[in-house]
Amino acid sequence: MTDTGTMRVLAIDTATDSVVTGVATITGEDVTVLAARSVADHRRHAELLTTLIGEVLEESGVGRTELAAVVVGCGPGPFTGLRVGLATAAAFADALGLPAYGVCSLDAIAAQVRGDRPSVGSVAVISDARRREVYWARYENGTRVAGPQVAAPAAVTGEVAGVDVAAGSPAHIEAVGLTVDEQVPSVPTVFGLATAAVPAIAAGEVPESLVPLYLRRPDAVERQRPATAVPR
C-alpha cells in the first residue's frame, strides 16, 4: 500500500480454457488495469502463465516488490487447469510474503459486466463444465443470489430466466436458453478479478487459504485397494 492508499495487485485465473493474468491498482473501490493478458489455450496453462506474468509486470512497470497482494480465480473450473493458477498464485505470494485473495471466477465475470454496465440489474454467468454440463451463477445488482453450481443446461434454464444480461461461454449461454451478447466477457478479466477482491481488501481481511471450487470430484481418482481376505 502506498501513501495515497493505492494497492498494486497481480491477478491470475486459469478456471477456463483461457490463461488470464495482469496487474491492476486498487484505490478505495476503484480498479485500474495497468497491463493484462488473456490467451486461449487449455493445453498450455502451466507453460504460458509464468511467461505472461513476466510480461504484464514488465509492461505495467511494477516490480515484484511493489506488489501488495495476489488475486486468483478459484473456479469453478476443471481440476487440471484450475490447480495451475492456484498453485502459481500461492507460490508467488509465499515467495514475496504477500496475501493471496481467492475469488469465484464467475464473480469476476459478473464484476466486469457491472463495471461496463452499472445500470444492469440481473446477470447470469454461464461457463463450460464439460460432461454436457455448465457452471452457473445469478446476480442481482452486483450481488450473487444463486450459485455457483454445476448442472445440466436444462436444469439451469429456469434458474436464470429473465436476466438482463448473460455472460460467459456463448455456446453454453445458448444451451440454457439465453441470448448471447458479444459485448460481454466470455472469461474472467483482470478488472473483474481485482474488483471481486475489493470488499475483502478494503475490509482489511486476512485471506483464508486458497480453496479450489471444483463442485465435483476430479475425473482421475485413486484406485481403491482390494479388500484383504481375513484368515480363518
Side-chain angles (χ1 to χ4, degrees):
M1 187 80 72
T2 69
D3 293 337
T4 59
T6 296
M7 170 184 283
R8 297 175 179 86
V9 301
L10 173 69
I12 295 170
D13 190 279
T14 57
T16 68
D17 284 348
S18 293
V19 179
V20 177
T21 190
V23 177
T25 61
I26 299 176
T27 307
E29 295 184 354
D30 295 329
V31 173
T32 301
V33 177
L34 303 180
R37 295 288 188 278
S38 181
V39 178
D41 189 337
H42 70 281
R43 296 182 181 276
R44 297 197 301 147
H45 279 64
E47 181 181 344
L48 289 169
L49 183 54
T50 302
T51 299
L52 295 179
I53 288 174
E55 290 181 4
V56 296
L57 288 172
E58 181 177 1
E59 181 179 322
S60 66
V62 175
R64 286 172 167 78
T65 58
E66 296 177 282
L67 292 169
V70 177
V71 177
V72 59
C74 293
F79 179 80
T80 302
L82 189 55
R83 67 180 178 178
V84 170
L86 288 171
T88 302
F92 199 94
D94 183 64
L96 296 176
L98 302 175
Y101 292 89
V103 300
C104 173
S105 299
L106 303 184
D107 289 0
I109 296 176
Q112 180 68 63
V113 173
R114 190 160 179 81
D116 292 339
R117 308 181 186 187
S119 62
V120 168
S122 56
V123 176
V125 179
I126 314 293
S127 67
D128 183 11
R130 302 176 186 176
R131 303 183 189 174
R132 299 182 181 179
E133 292 181 320
V134 297
Y135 297 122
W136 70 276
R138 180 170 180 149
Y139 303 79
E140 298 290 343
N141 299 315
T143 300
R144 177 161 26 99
V145 296
Q149 295 182 25
V150 60
V156 178
T157 299
E159 301 286 352
V160 298
V163 298
D164 297 323
V165 175
S169 167
H172 299 86
I173 289 172
E174 291 182 337
V176 302
L178 296 176
T179 301
V180 175
D181 183 339
E182 295 182 356
Q183 301 303 313
V184 300
S186 59
V187 298
T189 64
V190 173
F191 175 88
L193 291 162
T195 300
V198 163
I201 292 174
E205 295 180 7
V206 176
E208 299 179 355
S209 299
L210 298 176
V211 178
L213 290 170
Y214 294 131
L215 300 189
R216 64 185 178 206
R217 293 188 175 187
D219 293 329
V221 296
E222 185 178 355
R223 178 182 294 180
Q224 293 184 341
R225 294 182 180 181
T228 304
V230 178
R232 297 183 179 180

